[in-house]
Amino acid sequence: MTSSSDIRQTFFQECEELLEMLDDGLTEITDTPGDAVDPETVNSVFRAVHSIKGGAAAFGLDALVKFAHQFETALDEMRSGRLSATDAVMKILLRSADHLSALVVVARDNTEINTSVGADLLEKLAQISGSSVAAQSSAVAGGPAEEPDFGFQPLALAFDFGPAAESTFTIVFSATKRLFANGNDPVHLFRALAELGSLSVKVDTDALPRLDDLDCADSYFTWLLILRTSDSEEAIREVFEFVDGACSLEITREEGAEDITTKPSEPQIVDVGRAPEVVDTAATPQPDSAGARQDSPPSPPPSRSRGGAGSDKPTKAAAGFQGTVRVDLELVDRLINIVGELVINQAVLSQCVQDAGLSKSPDVISGLDEFKNLAREIQENVMAIRAQSVKPLFQRMARILREASDISGKVVRFETEGEATEVDKTVIERLVDPLTHIIRNSVDHGLELAEVRRAAGKPETGRVKLSAAHRSGRVLIEVSDDGGGINRPKVRQIAIDKGLIPPESALSDNEIDKLLFLPGFSTAREVTDLSGRGVGMDVVRSSIHNLGGRVNIASVPGQGTTLSISLPLTLAVLDGMVVDVAGQTMVIPITAIIETLRPSAKDIHQVASNGQVVAVRDTFVPIVDLAEVFGHRKRSDDYTSMVLLLVESGQNERWALAVDRIHDQRQVVIKGLEGNYGHVPGVAAATILGDGKIALIIDPEEAALRVRAESVSPSMMRLEEL
Amino acid sequence: MSIVILAIDDSRTIREMLREALLNAGFEVHVAVDGVDGLEQLSKVSPQVVITDINMPRLDGFGVIEAIRSGPVFSAVPILVLTTESAPDLKERARNSGATGWIVKPFDDVKLVSAIRRVSSH
């Protein structure tokens, strides 16, 4: 069996696609009422499981094969109309799809499965498959007994080449019309027999009719074959395996009879090994021998095709493949890095041109502009290689949700929106854990139990919606539920009990909601199966932060909670505003900046504590001096000579970051600091500028919080320090 | 001249396995992704042996066999069915539909090649 690791990898990639197809199909069947289900949908679902089984068998993944087989049996029942897609059935099928997917992961990663749902599901699948598999189901439930009707073991080949005693077999063989119609040919069989030992063939042409009565598609010969071999009768029977039923066959073992040439009347003995062409004509009573040459040109297809085979073949070999290539992710990453260097290099060149005083030469400038555009285009396209739709992520979340609703006993409908939204693969991968936690939370804490919902006049089935959308260069992912919303008095009380906030602190609704993100905060009275796995919303928040994202939570009591995550599309580059802060060059992500201001003195006001605010139209926005935040100098007294960058946090809070001047606006390549320095508050990453210098990329929200913590009410300190 | 084989299977994994096994055995291999694709390639490739899966989108294996057997040019080409089941009734069904023989999945390279040799003149 072929088992090269490349093909194995192909198999698991294909499994992902098949599982996606399976999920899609099952979801569609679930959502389609009654008989309106497209049979092709059921077919494709069946095929998906069938293909996984086929591939899994090739790699000897027994657990996967076994489960897929039972799953497939149930789907086959549905395909043939004996099993209808009731809610109960679909639930089992969906859970089976989840389990199948888990088994694939286990097989791929060579790990152990850590749930016991498999046996239970096998039994349920057997049940819904009906009585025909009742026997199997008991075998399955009973242990690792093999199902009777699918023996994947290759047939034992009689390859015993020891000095076994030879014996002589007499084989009487005659073909039916069907044997030829199915593309079989006695001559191939005889040749295979000849490989087993020494063979003599005699043909009995007695049954051959007059030429007029001859049907040239039929066979009128009976062959008498005498084979002397050390192989068993099974080996001989195996040669005839394919024609069994399309011929008459008698095999007898002759004890003493050695003389094979003395028997029947017409001694037309043909040595198969030496003169195959004679046998060819004898075996296939086709045009020439039948005398029917006048109306059909004798061009046997095989020889003709062999003649024309060579020339156009290589190009055809590629046909049938989709126009994609599979590339090692590492190669793409390397390419992204190189493109990053190219972008930096382009910045270096621009700098050099300027320094050399060439910036007035139109040729140089237009050439440089073109270079800049090309570099940017290459970069965007390279990024696009890594972009993937969030659909597999969403399907995975659907699984998590089903698992969560099963454990919690709540009935939940899962809705998705924007599945086709594309995001960098690395971003998607790192979203799995936070989203898993959020989804579990929505089911466990967000949604109420059915009776509570009924009492509140809501449908008993809860709803959790997951959506993704591109929003001005970022991706916005939202998880919303129609549950009871955040119980603010309770949240507040818990925060006070845990000593997270002083009892007297006055918090806005939004601030109370944000308490959920505090480390160590948990509203669950007791640790349930679902949540309480040692992961809190604080971990969710920090992992989103690490992706350069923001989490926001909004809740309407009695109506539900929405968690929104805003993320960059990629982790490799960002559009930045390059600024000067006390002689240091820093970069601020453009996406964070709402507008830039050059304030006049009358717009700036001193507030009671030691802060200053700037009036922006009808609101006041606190000023945060970046030079002070990073300890370069004391807070400036005169902001009129500086530039204020108005930034907004995920929670719609605004600050005005004060910088000395704006340098430039450009795309920068992000170089992570965390690997070397850990997380530095207020600093998201670093980049290399055109002159080779390193500039810090600022996280505006964190930077603001670094100083704001001192200037706002102490009650909020912990919250602000996040 | 090596034997030209057209292998039809909707699973990429199986296609790659077939291709590798058949190439190693010195055959010339063409692959098709489903029944319709297989029939389209038939006249271009002029195979001496066709290997086909049963469960496929657009046109299944039985449809492929039927179309080949009823067509004018390739009606006599040996067709091997790739099947995951080895039960006798499935073999019977394959035979009734006009298949020359079958290969049980997962296939063993040696058996695959011997099955091909058994139905072709090489």
Side-chain angles (χ1 to χ4, degrees):
Chain A
M1 195 181 304
T2 320
S3 59
S4 85
S5 62
D6 275 359
I7 296 184
R8 198 180 152 92
Q9 204 183 341
T10 303
F11 169 63
F12 287 113
Q13 278 169 355
E14 193 177 7
C15 273
E16 270 175 41
E17 291 161 26
L18 292 168
L19 287 168
E20 195 174 309
M21 198 198 282
L22 175 64
D23 261 5
D24 280 352
L26 288 178
T27 309
E28 196 183 321
I29 297 169
T30 311
D31 293 347
T32 314
D35 301 332
V37 175
D38 182 359
E40 184 45 36
T41 308
V42 185
N43 266 332
S44 73
V45 164
F46 172 85
R47 274 198 308 272
V49 177
H50 183 76
S51 289
I52 290 174
K53 174 177 129 180
F59 293 106
L61 306 168
D62 295 337
L64 192 50
V65 171
K66 186 173 159 189
F67 188 79
H69 180 71
Q70 191 62 66
F71 195 0
E72 179 193 76
T73 309
L75 289 170
D76 196 29
E77 290 292 306
M78 179 171 280
R79 195 168 64 146
S80 58
R82 288 189 294 268
L83 176 67
S84 45
T86 61
D87 286 353
V89 165
M90 291 318 294
K91 195 173 169 194
I92 295 172
L93 296 183
L94 281 165
R95 298 283 287 122
S96 298
D98 297 348
H99 186 63
L100 191 67
S101 150
L103 286 174
V104 167
V105 171
V106 164
R108 187 190 61 202
D109 303 344
N110 262 326
T111 50
E112 296 281 313
I113 190 106
N114 58 3
T115 63
S116 54
V117 294
D120 177 47
L121 279 170
L122 273 174
E123 207 164 328
K124 282 191 175 130
L125 283 171
Q127 273 166 20
I128 61 171
S129 303
S131 54
S132 62
V133 288
Q136 270 179 49
S137 77
S138 57
V140 167
E146 199 57 60
E147 285 92 326
D149 77 336
F150 78 112
F152 275 131
Q153 299 79 6
L155 293 160
L157 272 175
F159 270 153
D160 186 8
F161 288 123
E166 292 205 337
S167 47
T168 304
F169 292 91
T170 303
I171 302 157
V172 181
F173 170 80
S174 64
T176 65
K177 206 170 171 174
R178 201 156 90 246
L179 186 141
F180 295 104
N182 277 6
N184 275 299
D185 192 332
V187 73
H188 302 325
L189 302 171
F190 301 164
R191 193 173 282 132
L193 284 178
E195 282 171 15
L196 298 178
S198 74
L199 179 74
S200 311
V201 183
K202 275 188 276 187
V203 62
D204 176 0
T205 55
D206 283 356
L208 197 66
R210 285 162 43 87
L211 218 52
D212 299 350
D213 302 329
L214 191 121
D215 173 3
C216 54
D218 208 344
S219 165
Y220 302 97
F221 301 140
T222 300
W223 286 272
L224 174 73
L225 304 114
I226 297 177
L227 175 65
R228 191 166 169 74
T229 177
S230 52
D231 275 308
S232 66
E233 189 176 327
E234 279 71 57
I236 299 171
R237 294 226 173 256
E238 205 179 314
V239 169
F240 291 97
E241 188 189 11
F242 292 166
V243 295
D244 183 20
C247 66
S248 82
L249 181 67
E250 265 175 53
I251 302 178
T252 46
R253 189 195 200 107
E254 300 212 356
E255 299 305 330
E258 292 288 310
D259 190 357
I260 57 167
T261 54
T262 53
K263 273 193 175 167
S265 48
E266 291 129 312
Q268 227 184 344
I269 297 172
V270 177
D271 183 338
V272 177
R274 256 186 285 145
E277 58 288 329
V278 180
V279 183
D280 244 329
T281 16
T284 45
Q286 290 283 310
D288 8 346
S289 65
R293 67 185 60 162
Q294 68 273 26
D295 55 8
S296 58
S299 57
S303 59
R304 186 181 53 90
S305 61
R306 250 170 284 152
S311 56
D312 57 345
K313 286 296 136 54
T315 50
K316 299 281 164 46
F321 289 113
Q322 288 138 357
T324 55
V325 286
R326 289 197 308 280
V327 185
D328 196 338
L329 196 60
E330 204 179 301
L331 280 176
V332 179
D333 285 347
R334 215 182 300 162
L335 193 57
I336 286 177
N337 257 330
I338 295 171
V339 172
E341 300 297 328
L342 181 72
V343 172
I344 292 170
N345 183 255
Q346 171 254 309
V348 173
L349 269 181
S350 299
Q351 189 78 40
C352 293
V353 165
Q354 205 163 14
D355 294 351
L358 292 171
S359 50
K360 296 221 166 50
S361 160
D363 285 355
V364 174
I365 293 304
S366 73
L368 208 55
D369 279 351
E370 189 59 18
F371 181 36
K372 205 188 241 176
N373 287 340
L374 286 173
R376 188 170 183 121
E377 211 168 305
I378 292 172
Q379 188 169 41
E380 279 169 5
N381 281 288
V382 171
M383 292 302 170
I385 294 175
R386 248 187 0 185
Q388 281 187 338
S389 88
V390 294
K391 191 175 171 192
L393 175 72
F394 277 24
Q395 286 187 333
R396 196 160 165 184
M397 290 308 129
R399 265 171 239 150
I400 300 288
L401 182 115
R402 283 197 286 271
E403 186 191 67
S405 60
D406 265 20
I407 294 173
S408 65
K410 294 172 184 170
V411 188
V412 189
R413 190 158 48 96
F414 188 54
E415 289 174 9
T416 55
E417 199 179 283
E419 283 190 326
T421 309
E422 289 198 333
V423 186
D424 194 303
K425 184 177 160 63
T426 49
V427 176
I428 291 181
E429 279 165 1
R430 288 168 67 180
L431 270 175
V432 170
D433 286 344
L435 269 187
T436 300
H437 188 76
I438 293 169
I439 295 272
R440 280 192 181 133
N441 256 328
S442 293
V443 175
D444 202 25
H445 303 313
L447 295 177
E448 321 90 322
L449 288 167
E451 54 266 27
V452 180
R453 291 181 66 89
R454 201 178 330 125
K458 289 202 262 190
E460 285 184 21
T461 303
R463 186 183 59 86
V464 172
K465 183 174 170 185
L466 177 60
S467 72
H470 282 157
R471 198 67 48 83
S472 56
R474 289 172 78 83
V475 62
L476 186 72
I477 292 179
E478 280 191 349
V479 180
S480 60
D481 64 58
D482 67 344
I486 292 171
N487 185 343
R488 292 194 179 115
K490 189 172 137 199
V491 167
R492 196 187 133 90
Q493 193 53 50
I494 290 172
I496 292 169
D497 292 350
K498 294 194 181 234
L500 297 170
I501 52 167
E504 69 279 6
S505 54
L507 302 182
S508 70
D509 286 353
N510 194 252
E511 282 167 335
I512 294 176
D513 293 350
K514 279 202 292 185
L515 291 172
L516 293 175
F517 291 116
L518 284 177
F521 188 93
S522 174
T523 47
R525 262 170 304 239
E526 55 208 60
V527 171
T528 65
D529 260 2
L530 268 186
S531 36
R533 294 180 189 213
V535 187
M537 287 301 280
D538 57 319
V539 177
V540 169
R541 185 183 163 112
S542 64
S543 52
I544 298 294
H545 265 201
N546 291 343
L547 282 170
R550 300 261 169 266
V551 199
N552 192 17
I553 193 164
S555 173
V556 181
Q559 286 179 33
T561 309
T562 299
L563 238 139
S564 18
I565 301 171
S566 158
L567 289 165
L569 293 176
T570 172
L571 302 178
V573 283
L574 66 81
D575 274 309
M577 182 90 81
V578 183
V579 297
D580 237 24
V581 175
Q584 301 290 317
T585 309
M586 292 182 173
V587 178
I588 296 163
I590 293 277
T591 46
I593 301 173
I594 304 163
E595 59 178 297
T596 57
L597 313 165
R598 207 172 249 292
S600 56
K602 66 175 168 46
D603 294 331
I604 294 170
H605 305 273
Q606 186 74 29
V607 287
S609 54
N610 50 2
Q612 280 182 304
V613 296
V614 57
V616 182
R617 288 177 285 277
D618 52 353
T619 57
F620 291 101
V621 178
I623 295 173
V624 172
D625 193 331
L626 279 186
E628 184 204 4
V629 169
F630 293 102
H632 293 307
R633 62 164 185 241
K634 296 211 75 168
R635 183 178 307 167
S636 168
D637 299 324
D638 178 18
Y639 288 115
T640 54
S641 64
M642 297 172 72
V643 181
L644 297 180
L645 308 177
L646 200 61
V647 296
E648 189 175 57
S649 77
Q651 275 87 348
N652 303 322
E653 285 172 84
R654 293 182 174 200
W655 295 278
L657 299 182
V659 301
D660 292 346
R661 77 188 178 96
I662 293 174
H663 226 316
D664 194 1
Q665 183 177 320
R666 71 165 79 124
Q667 204 168 38
V668 296
V669 179
I670 298 173
K671 300 279 179 190
L673 284 177
E674 311 221 327
N676 296 317
Y677 298 103
H679 182 68
V680 183
V683 177
T687 188
I688 303 168
L689 297 172
D691 55 6
K693 283 190 189 143
I694 291 167
L696 296 180
I697 300 172
I698 305 304
D699 179 332
E701 188 177 358
E702 265 190 6
L705 290 172
R706 263 175 72 140
V707 285
R708 280 243 297 161
E710 298 155 23
S711 56
V712 292
S713 67
S715 71
M716 287 300 290
M717 269 192 65
R718 282 170 164 280
L719 192 57
E720 303 286 2
E721 275 168 1
L722 283 178
Chain B
M1 203 73 216
S2 65
I3 301 191
V4 180
I5 294 173
L6 174 63
I8 313 172
D9 200 306
D10 64 326
S11 160
R12 197 164 71 219
T13 310
I14 302 293
R15 281 201 301 274
E16 285 194 19
M17 293 182 113
L18 281 170
R19 183 199 292 278
E20 188 169 311
L22 296 174
L23 284 176
N24 284 342
F27 299 128
E28 181 177 325
V29 191
H30 299 266
V31 293
V33 299
D34 60 34
V36 173
D37 185 27
L39 292 181
E40 276 170 12
Q41 294 208 34
L42 193 66
S43 57
K44 294 184 221 156
V45 169
S46 293
Q48 283 144 288
V49 176
V50 173
I51 298 175
T52 182
D53 187 20
I54 291 297
N55 286 297
M56 291 184 292
R58 299 210 288 172
L59 182 67
D60 69 8
F62 295 122
V64 168
I65 296 170
E66 206 172 290
I68 293 179
R69 288 282 175 251
S70 62
V73 186
F74 296 99
S75 59
V77 74
I79 306 172
L80 291 171
V81 166
L82 259 183
T83 163
T84 42
E85 322 287 332
S86 60
D89 58 324
L90 274 142
K91 292 178 183 171
E92 185 58 35
R93 198 173 158 203
R95 193 160 39 226
N96 288 342
S97 67
T100 313
W102 52 86
I103 302 160
V104 178
K105 275 196 250 184
F107 57 83
D108 170 281
D109 287 9
V110 176
K111 294 209 69 172
L112 173 69
V113 171
S114 96
I116 289 169
R117 299 215 184 273
R118 214 187 310 166
V119 297
S120 66
S121 24
H122 291 259

